[in-house]
Every structure is written in structure tokens, then in C-alpha cells.
Amino acid sequence: MFEFEIGRHRVGQGNPVFFIAEAGVNHNGSLDLAKQLVDVASDAGADAVKFQSFHADEIATKMAPKSTYHQETTGGDEVESWFDMLKRQEMSKEMHEELISYCNKKKIIFASTPYDLKSLHLLCELDVSVIKIASTDTNNLPFLRHVGTAGRPIILSSAMATMKEVSEAVETIKHAGSKHFAVMQCTGNYPADLQNSNLNVMHSYREAFGCPVGYSDHTAGIVNPIAATAMGANIYEKHFTLSRDLAGPDHRMSIEPEELRETIALVRQAQTVAGSAEKQVVQEELENRVKLRKSIVSREHIKAGHSINAEMICLKRPATGMLPRLFDTVVGSVALVDIPADTPITQDMIDA
């Protein structure tokens, strides 16, 4: 499986999980709020903070209906149309530039999801280090052809998609020239039910595409960060906000600053405990390997020159004598010295 670099981070097997703190549109159109989100992500230990780049008139008709989730969080279309809501959340070129500069200052990677060609070109012009593709564009092959020519790593989310559609998306960006990409399992509901997480899909993606994989999390709670990391996620993404009480479409399903800090800590711990796939005796086991394991021990006093039978020996701690797997070797051997009862038998005591 290949790996690639995002900024100073290597992404792929054997590397730390690349954690994306998804700010999305939770800045509510405010540069000050966006900078506060950068602060929270940086302080929590995220590797990248991700926003969304779009022009409302490029991605939705003025009559496009809100999803049920957006109706619940922002009111029905009679309150505000989806188009008008999107318009309020656009980020100008100047806002992008300011946020990139601020992220550099805070030593965290700025990332964004382009939803249209103008925004893709802007992000390339601003030389962002990674392009994240939203699940809503997994089947948007004409757009993905352009993304594949962008010359930078691509992270592809896959909610609402079939395996065939994901395969078509991957083939499209590869054919367009992209060599560095990752595919994210994701469930397209806000919030998503835990039982619909299907984290095992990450294994299917790794096997099918030979690329880094990850999980874009829309669930509540802390189960998935631990589980996905332990199952080998190379990238993890989680929505966050300054407060779930803020007005806006995505605050309700986002985690708050302290929860983000805890989530990142859990991801780091989960990767640590997952450890290596190579079975080995670790340093802290060496003492107990001797004290808790057993060896061949004399059950009774065995005189020199006597043949040893099975009734004369047993297996006891500590493992300072011959190993249990040599039991049959000791049976039938001759004692070269007197062996007191309850003594670990060593190789030099017998003629085997």
C-alpha cells in the first residue's frame, strides 16, 4: 500500500493517524469565528483543520430543497432557502488567504473541500497541501477529472455511494493523473447511527484500491474514534464547533472543544495500543517470562546415575530450568549429578 505526504505528515500504514478537525461551515461566515475554530483545532492536537469552499450559485439552484436535517437545524424553506443559507456561508478569497496565514502561524494544516470548479482553482492557486472531496461529489465524475489533475493528494469521502460508484471515482482521479489519494468510509446522515458505521468497509477499500483509508465520522460518542483507529484507519475526520448552541446547519452534530481534545487523545491512545502486527516479546515482559512461566522440576530427590521417569519430574515456576517442551527428552535420560527435590533441572544435570 502506498503512502503520501500532506505537509510535514506522512499518511499511510505505519504512520500516525492523520486527524482532520472538520470546521466546515461552523464559522457562520465570520472570519473571527473561523480563527477561533483554528485555535481550538490546534490546541486539541489536530493535524489539519478543514473548511468548505464553494460558490452558492455554482452548486445549487435557487429552488433546491433543504434536507430534513437542515430543516431541523435552520428551519424550513419558508424561513430561508438552502441557496440563501449557502450564500451566507461562502468564504471569500481574502478569507481563505487570512485563514491559511493564520493556520501557518498556529502550525496546523489548512484544508478545504471544494464544491465547484471555481473553488478548486482557488485552492490550487493558494497552494493548499491536500484536496478533500465531499461525499456529495463521489459520483460527480466530470468534477473528479479536474480534481485528479490538481497535482496534490486527494482524500475522497464515500457516503451515500455504492462500491461501484467509489470504484468509478477512484479510477477517474487515477486516470486524470492522481497518484496520491485516500478513501474514507462515511455514513451520510447527521448524526449517523452507530450501527450504520460499517467500519469494515475500510478493509474493503484498502484491498480494492491499495491506498490509505480512513473514516469520516458523523456519529455521536467516542466508540468510533477508538474502533476505527484500532481497525487501521490512516485518516480520521470529525466535525467540531465552538458550541452546539450556535445557530447554523452543522453545529448540532458537531463536538465541542473539550470533546475534540478527548477524541484526538483517544485516537492517539488507540493507535498506540493497536501497536505492531508482529508478535514479539516486549521489554516489560522479560521479567515475567522467567518468573511466571514453568520449567521441568524434580518432584523428588534424584540420585546421580539414576534413569529419570515421568513420575520423578513435574512442571513448576520459575522458568529457570529446561523448557516444558523438552519434557519427553528428560524422561529416559540419566542424572549426571544428585538433583535435590523441587529443583529446576538444567541441561548440564542430565545426559540428554
Side-chain angles (χ1 to χ4, degrees):
M1 186 191 75
F2 63 75
E3 58 183 38
F4 54 82
E5 291 185 355
I6 300 178
R8 64 183 183 278
H9 302 271
R10 290 205 67 78
V11 177
Q13 290 295 90
N15 296 292
V17 173
F18 186 77
F19 195 100
I20 302 171
E22 166 68 90
V25 295
N26 284 344
H27 51 76
N28 289 355
S30 162
L31 177 60
D32 180 63
L33 205 60
K35 286 185 174 181
Q36 291 181 56
L37 288 165
V38 172
D39 289 339
V40 167
S42 176
D43 292 343
D47 299 305
V49 57
K50 191 183 78 65
F51 295 89
Q52 296 177 8
S53 304
F54 56 82
H55 297 81
D57 55 1
E58 294 286 328
I59 64 171
T61 67
K62 291 183 172 59
M63 301 301 293
K66 286 181 179 177
S67 66
T68 300
Y69 166 71
H70 283 140
Q71 291 177 25
E72 292 171 354
T73 56
T74 64
D77 293 313
E78 71 281 357
V79 176
E80 182 183 39
S81 71
W82 197 1
F83 180 88
D84 289 339
M85 182 186 72
L86 289 170
K87 200 71 180 170
R88 286 191 297 102
Q89 296 164 337
E90 289 180 352
M91 296 199 308
S92 66
K93 179 180 180 181
E94 291 72 26
M95 186 171 177
H96 279 81
E97 291 172 333
E98 186 69 26
L99 284 176
I100 290 172
S101 175
Y102 193 67
C103 284
N104 289 338
K105 178 181 175 182
K106 298 295 291 188
K107 293 182 169 49
I108 188 170
I109 291 173
F110 171 92
S112 190
T113 295
Y115 284 82
D116 56 79
L117 283 177
K118 286 184 179 179
S119 298
L120 173 64
H121 294 155
L122 173 62
L123 293 177
C124 291
E125 178 187 337
L126 296 174
D127 198 26
V128 298
S129 55
V130 62
I131 298 292
K132 167 71 194 301
I133 299 301
S135 296
T136 52
D137 282 315
T138 305
N139 70 335
N140 189 350
L141 303 186
F143 180 59
L144 294 181
R145 280 196 290 270
H146 289 279
V147 175
T149 66
R152 58 210 72 218
I154 298 167
I155 299 174
L156 175 73
S157 269
S158 63
M160 305 172 291
T162 65
M163 188 65 176
K164 182 180 182 216
E165 288 172 329
V166 178
S167 296
E168 289 174 344
V170 169
E171 286 305 311
T172 298
I173 61 176
K174 286 172 62 178
H175 186 72
S178 178
K179 296 180 180 178
H180 300 145
F181 61 88
V183 184
M184 307 280 279
Q185 165 62 352
C186 183
T187 305
N189 196 22
Y190 310 89
D193 291 334
L194 279 174
Q195 63 264 31
N196 291 325
S197 300
N198 294 322
L199 298 179
N200 278 319
V201 170
M202 292 190 298
H203 297 317
S204 300
Y205 287 165
R206 180 175 284 122
E207 182 178 346
F209 309 126
C211 67
V213 299
Y215 185 66
S216 183
D217 190 1
H218 294 154
T219 66
I222 61 173
V223 173
N224 278 352
I226 298 172
T229 303
M231 291 173 66
N234 308 123
I235 305 172
Y236 202 89
E237 180 181 52
K238 187 74 172 174
H239 282 260
F240 78 105
T241 179
L242 298 181
S243 170
R244 279 190 287 271
D245 294 331
L246 289 170
D250 292 340
H251 296 285
R252 186 186 75 175
M253 51 77 65
S254 301
I255 57 176
E256 294 183 333
E258 189 53 41
E259 294 169 313
L260 179 66
R261 184 186 299 276
E262 180 184 13
T263 298
I264 294 174
L266 287 170
V267 165
R268 303 303 183 211
Q269 291 168 19
Q271 186 166 34
T272 297
V273 301
S276 169
E278 178 187 354
K279 180 57 182 168
Q280 55 187 304
V281 179
V282 298
Q283 183 67 34
E284 66 177 351
E285 293 179 310
L286 294 178
E287 177 184 344
N288 287 338
R289 183 176 166 86
V290 175
K291 291 182 176 180
L292 301 184
R293 283 186 160 195
K294 298 172 181 174
S295 61
I296 301 171
V297 173
S298 55
R299 191 185 292 276
E300 60 188 62
H301 182 90
I302 304 172
K303 292 183 179 180
H306 279 214
S307 178
I308 300 173
N309 61 44
E311 286 70 34
M312 293 177 176
I313 57 177
C314 58
L315 301 170
K316 290 184 179 182
R317 296 171 178 167
T320 54
M322 296 176 69
L323 299 177
R325 63 182 173 81
L326 298 174
F327 190 92
D328 292 340
T329 300
V330 176
V331 173
S333 67
V334 175
L336 299 176
V337 296
D338 280 356
I339 304 173
D342 210 32
T343 300
I345 296 176
T346 56
Q347 189 73 49
D348 60 350
M349 294 178 179
I350 62 174
D351 69 352

